[in-house]
Amino acid sequence: MYSFMGGGLFCAGVGNILLVISTATDYWIQYRQSSSYMHQGLWRYCVPGKCMTYTDSIAYWDATRAFMILAVLACFFGIIIGVMAFINYSSFNGFDKTFAAGILYFISCFFVLLAMAVYTGMTVNYYGKRYGNWRFSWSYIMGWVSVVLTFFSGIFYMCAYRMYEPRGSMSR
């Protein structure tokens, strides 16, 4: 049981770090315009020599930002509850901390998956038609890696929950 929780905490910790870095950095896409490379993230765009914040409120950027922030928060609270389950913290005995942490990791995975799907669909649709020389960059890739890590942390915690669950609790 503890090996599953340890693996889940490791995946969740790395996944949450990648989520924060991905959300905060400006390298979601890179493209070439007027013989210079530019890059942009969720919060600002950069041309050679300076970066500027977005002044427009574009719906898919706002949705991506919101889903990424919700994913970071769900994963963070999942880590806190997961650590409490790992060390057998006796407070809050009314609910199973292992199960709650696993559910929070799955919620985090769902939110980051939504964010990445919205951003991917809209970016491919927009930049694919207007620019020939563009690509997704490392901040974007970190977002997809965090989808996998938060998913596996949820799997690990659900396996730990199934191992810990009392076997005779089902009534027939």
Side-chain angles (χ1 to χ4, degrees), residues 40-57:
Q40 69 183 36
L42 297 178
W43 309 100
R44 59 187 191 158
Y45 63 97
C46 301
V47 296
K50 67 179 177 178
C51 292
M52 295 152 285
T53 58
Y54 293 117
T55 56
D56 299 337
S57 179

Side-chain angles (χ1 to χ4, degrees), residues 28 60 63-68 71 110-120 144:
W28 279 61
Y60 85 93
T64 304
R65 290 177 196 144
F67 286 137
M68 290 297 282
F110 178 70
F111 281 142
V112 71
L113 183 63
L114 280 175
M116 299 308 291
V118 167
Y119 189 85
T120 302
W144 279 111

Side-chain angles (χ1 to χ4, degrees), residues 80-101:
I80 291 172
I81 293 173
V83 167
M84 287 177 12
F86 190 77
I87 63 172
N88 287 326
Y89 186 68
S90 63
S91 186
F92 305 114
N93 286 330
F95 71 99
D96 192 313
K97 292 176 283 298
T98 307
F99 183 75

Side-chain angles (χ1 to χ4, degrees), residues 161-162 165-172:
Y161 171 71
R162 288 291 294 163
E165 181 182 48
R167 298 291 177 212
S169 65
M170 297 174 68
S171 62
R172 292 179 192 207

Side-chain angles (χ1 to χ4, degrees), residues 137-159:
S137 193
W138 59 267
S139 296
Y140 173 82
I141 294 167
M142 281 183 163
W144 279 111
V145 171
S146 67
V147 169
V148 174
L149 289 173
T150 55
F151 178 75
F152 278 114
S153 60
I155 292 289
F156 284 144
Y157 262 79
M158 286 302 158
C159 288

